[in-house]
């Protein structure tokens, strides 16, 4: 049964509960019409996307596929669907296309991916965000390959793979293996909420169960994968969030939200599904130090090296490389930020201004805000240039490698690394800062010496 309200009252949203009108599932006639209309529309209007190659080439010549004992054209297809579905979570299609093509070129099968390192995977993923997705893909691939069995071929077995949830398991099973199982994502929720004029909170567990019931009833038994994709495609291209194209919708005749809006001009189709107030992002602050090193034995004359540190293996952006940074308890002034950075560098790298280095320059570069799903992070960036005394690597000789992972890279390597979007913003800000001061991107600021040294405290 599906919770439904004929006409949403924006002034009484708190009353939209399970006690409101109850509507049956789709009738047999509605089910037949929706299936036929959607599949016909999808066959003629689907976007050409790299992970839909089988829709354009339905009959695969197995001789064209490079196989291993557990890799077949079907399992390769399943792997492609898996990668694409994970990448598409919280990410726009146009952004994903480039990443998907690069990924499949480097790791065309689950066996290729299973041999990769987390560093390689993170670098390939850099810029897509939600990096835990990449780690789960790698861990899942290793789990499948280490199991020495075929790629799981149904939803229940796919759910046993780390990182694969209900939606992804059913998407892979229906698209790659033709299993008759439904899918429900944000696009499908929007389509169903409008088809049935459902005004209940779409995030409520009871409402979500209703959406899965509707999807299970509608899924086509002969073409489950194509039908599931047609629902998602409709939501992505026609039944959009703010500008639905109802005149070109293949199921507009079955859409109750559209019917209600025609009867009452004050009710818009876009009122469905009910808008849910998002949780306010918490505000956090961070100080980032772009550390440029001169005088090391490993640094060619006239060039610089740049310090990168690896984040912990747990938590936000786990295992990714960044410039030295510290989290701040609150918004602070420049003096306190520098003190925090100094303490970090001294603790992690045993800095000793009298023995290991002299300061060439230290300048405040600027600040920017980086948005995560649940965090609004304000980042303060500074440029610190150090000269290592006696051409030694003394800055790092006493670093505790068990406490922190780090590496020094030259400018060319740094510019080509796969860095997170936040780290790239900081890097770009420093480069622009240098250019505005008419300084080479990988050299010292005009040999200007600043007498102030890092605080020894």
């Amino acid at each position: 049964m599906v919770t439904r309200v004929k006409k949403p009252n924006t002034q009484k949203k708190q009353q939209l509960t399970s006690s409101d009108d109850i509507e049956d599932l789709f009738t047999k006639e509605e089910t037949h019409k929706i299936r036929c209309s959607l599949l016909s529309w999808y066959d003629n209007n689907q976007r050409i996307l790299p992970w839909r190659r089988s829709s354009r080439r339905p009959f695969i010549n197995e001789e064209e596929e490079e196989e291993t004992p557990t890799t077949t054209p079907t399992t390769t297809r399943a792997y492609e669907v898996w990668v694409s579905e994970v990448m598409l979570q919280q990410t726009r299609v146009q952004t994903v296309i480039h990443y998907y093509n690069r990924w499949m070129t480097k790791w065309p099968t689950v066996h290729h991916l299973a041999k990769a390192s987390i560093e390689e995977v993170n670098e390939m993923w850099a810029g897509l965000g939600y990096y835990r997705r990449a780690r789960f893909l790698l861990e899942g691939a290793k789990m499948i390959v280490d199991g020495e069995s075929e790629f799981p071929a149904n939803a229940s077995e796919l759910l046993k793979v780390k990182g694969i949830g209900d939606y992804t398991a059913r998407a892979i099973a229906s698209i790659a293996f033709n299993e008759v199982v439904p899918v429900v994502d944000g696009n499908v929720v929007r389509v169903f909420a409008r088809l049935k004029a459902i005004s209940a909170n779409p995030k409520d567990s009871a409402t979500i169960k209703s959406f899965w019931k509707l999807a299970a009833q509608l899924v086509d038994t002969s073409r489950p994968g194509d039908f599931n994709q047609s629902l998602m495609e409709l939501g992505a291209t026609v039944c959009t969030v703010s500008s639905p194209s109802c005149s070109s919708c293949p199921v507009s005749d079955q859409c109750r939200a559209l019917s209600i809006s025609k009867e009452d001009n004050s009710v818009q189709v876009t009122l469905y599904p009910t808008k849910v107030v998002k949780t306010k992002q918490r505000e956090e602050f961070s100080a980032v130090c772009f550390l440029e090193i001169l005088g090391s034995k490993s640094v060619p004359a006239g060039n610089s090296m740049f310090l990168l540190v690896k984040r912990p293996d747990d938590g936000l952006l786990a295992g990714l490389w960044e410039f030295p940074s510290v989290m701040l308890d609150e918004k602070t002034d420049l003096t306190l930020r520098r003190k925090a950075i100094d303490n970090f560098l001294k603790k992690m790298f045993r800095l000793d201004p009298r023995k290991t280095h002299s300061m060439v320059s230290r300048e405040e570069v600027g600040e920017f805000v980086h948005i995560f799903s649940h965090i609004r992070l304000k980042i303060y960036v500074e440029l610190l240039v150090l000269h290592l005394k006696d051409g030694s690597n003394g800055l790092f000789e006493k670093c505790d490698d068990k406490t922190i992972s780090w590496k020094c890279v030259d400018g060319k390597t740094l510019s080509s690394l796969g860095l997170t979007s936040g780290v790239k913003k900081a890097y770009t800000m420093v480069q622009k800062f240098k250019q505005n001061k008419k300084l080479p991107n990988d050299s010292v600021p005009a040999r200007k010496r600043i007498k102030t040294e890092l605080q020894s405290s």
Side-chain angles (χ1 to χ4, degrees):
M1 308 299 284
V2 178
T3 304
R4 182 177 68 83
V5 173
K6 291 288 185 179
K7 178 180 175 181
N9 186 334
T10 56
Q11 295 179 340
K12 297 183 179 181
K13 287 185 179 179
Q14 68 275 14
Q15 297 179 7
L16 300 180
T17 66
S18 57
S19 62
D20 290 312
D21 292 341
I22 301 298
E23 183 66 33
D24 291 334
L25 298 174
F26 294 105
T27 65
K28 289 184 178 180
E29 183 180 0
E30 286 177 323
T31 298
H32 177 73
K33 287 182 177 179
I34 291 173
R35 284 176 178 175
C36 293
S37 298
L38 271 179
L39 285 170
S40 177
W41 171 82
Y42 181 70
D43 288 340
N44 292 288
N45 294 278
Q46 63 175 287
R47 290 170 293 179
I48 304 301
L49 300 172
W51 47 87
R52 285 182 181 163
R53 65 179 178 85
S54 65
S55 293
R56 305 194 305 276
R57 187 174 57 130
F59 301 103
I60 301 175
N61 182 352
E62 296 195 10
E63 295 179 357
E64 296 177 1
E65 302 288 336
E66 180 183 351
E67 297 186 16
T68 68
T70 57
T71 299
T72 68
T74 302
T75 57
T76 297
R77 177 73 183 122
Y79 169 69
E80 294 170 346
V81 175
W82 181 25
V83 173
S84 68
E85 290 296 341
V86 172
M87 286 187 172
L88 286 165
Q89 294 168 13
Q90 306 294 326
T91 310
R92 300 175 69 87
V93 168
Q94 290 306 312
T95 300
V96 167
I97 290 174
H98 170 66
Y99 282 90
Y100 175 85
N101 287 333
R102 286 198 309 149
W103 183 287
M104 298 308 298
T105 297
K106 188 172 182 66
W107 302 303
T109 71
V110 68
H111 291 270
H112 291 91
L113 176 58
K115 296 176 182 177
S117 67
I118 186 61
E119 286 77 16
E120 291 176 306
V121 169
N122 282 337
E123 184 170 338
M124 181 68 72
W125 198 271
L128 267 182
Y130 300 92
Y131 289 84
R132 189 171 64 170
R133 296 180 295 171
R135 187 172 76 250
F136 281 159
L137 269 174
L138 177 59
E139 292 175 357
K142 291 180 183 295
M143 182 177 175
I144 291 171
V145 172
D146 291 345
E148 297 182 354
S149 59
E150 292 187 358
F151 199 106
N154 58 65
S156 60
E157 290 300 313
L158 284 161
L159 281 169
K160 298 177 183 178
V161 178
K162 187 168 185 179
I164 294 184
D166 279 336
Y167 165 78
T168 305
R170 292 164 185 261
I172 297 170
S174 62
I175 297 171
F177 299 108
N178 213 39
E179 183 180 1
V180 184
V181 287
V183 298
V184 173
D185 70 348
N187 287 317
V188 174
V189 165
R190 186 165 56 258
V191 170
F192 284 163
R194 291 172 181 173
L195 279 175
K196 302 291 283 185
I198 300 171
S199 293
N201 183 344
K203 300 294 185 181
D204 181 77
S205 60
T207 310
I208 293 172
K209 288 181 181 179
S210 295
F211 287 132
W212 278 102
K213 278 186 177 181
L214 290 171
Q217 184 196 14
L218 279 185
V219 62
D220 189 82
T221 55
S222 59
R223 298 176 60 190
D226 284 341
F227 182 80
N228 286 337
Q229 290 181 93
S230 73
L231 268 176
M232 295 185 284
E233 187 81 342
L234 185 71
T237 63
V238 175
C239 194
T240 58
V241 175
S242 57
S243 302
S245 180
C246 298
S247 61
S248 59
C249 178
V251 292
S252 59
D253 288 346
Q254 289 78 42
C255 183
R256 291 182 180 168
L258 179 60
S259 176
I260 292 171
S261 70
K262 289 179 178 178
E263 295 173 1
D264 186 344
N265 292 333
S266 68
V267 178
Q268 300 297 315
V269 170
T270 51
L271 286 177
Y272 302 93
T274 299
K275 306 298 185 295
V276 179
V277 178
K278 294 183 179 179
T279 303
K280 185 177 181 181
Q281 295 167 325
R282 69 175 184 269
E283 192 169 29
E284 296 186 356
F285 304 90
S286 174
V288 172
C289 179
F290 186 90
L291 182 56
E292 184 172 351
I293 304 163
L294 308 172
S296 168
K297 292 177 180 178
S298 61
V299 180
N303 290 334
S304 302
M305 297 293 283
F306 305 92
L307 178 63
L308 292 172
V309 296
K310 193 175 185 180
R311 291 182 63 86
D313 291 331
D314 297 315
L316 188 67
L317 303 176
L320 299 175
W321 292 97
E322 65 180 7
F323 302 120
S325 65
V326 292
M327 295 302 297
L328 307 169
D329 292 334
E330 58 185 356
K331 185 176 181 179
T332 58
D333 60 23
L334 177 61
T335 300
L336 291 177
R337 294 198 300 269
R338 285 187 173 179
K339 183 176 181 179
I341 285 290
D342 293 349
N343 289 339
F344 172 81
L345 293 176
K346 181 178 180 180
K347 179 181 179 181
M348 293 294 110
F349 297 99
R350 307 293 195 271
L351 278 176
D352 186 342
R354 293 165 294 182
K355 296 180 180 179
T356 61
H357 75 277
S358 60
M359 185 183 297
V360 177
S361 68
R362 188 172 196 174
E363 300 185 74
E364 185 177 17
V365 174
E367 62 188 57
F368 65 92
V369 174
H370 189 62
I371 303 296
F372 296 92
S373 60
H374 57 297
I375 299 172
R376 186 178 186 274
L377 180 63
K378 189 167 189 177
I379 299 174
Y380 302 92
V381 183
E382 73 166 355
L383 169 62
L384 175 60
V385 183
L386 301 180
H387 183 273
L388 301 189
K389 294 180 178 179
D390 301 323
S392 70
N393 284 316
L395 180 61
F396 308 110
E397 284 177 352
K398 297 182 180 181
C399 176
D400 186 356
D401 291 338
K402 295 181 180 179
T403 302
I404 188 171
S405 297
W406 60 272
K407 62 182 177 181
C408 280
V409 298
D410 58 26
K412 183 177 180 180
T413 301
L414 180 60
S415 63
S416 62
L417 282 176
L419 302 173
T420 68
S421 56
V423 175
K424 284 181 179 178
K425 287 179 184 178
Y427 175 69
T428 300
M429 181 177 285
V430 171
Q431 301 315 303
K432 289 182 178 179
F433 177 81
K434 288 183 175 183
Q435 291 170 1
N436 290 338
K437 298 195 70 172
K438 298 182 179 179
L439 301 172
N441 285 341
D442 58 351
S443 63
V444 187
R447 296 300 170 188
K448 177 182 178 182
R449 295 283 179 172
I450 298 178
K451 294 181 180 180
T452 308
E453 292 187 332
L454 286 171
Q455 300 177 13
S456 57
S457 58

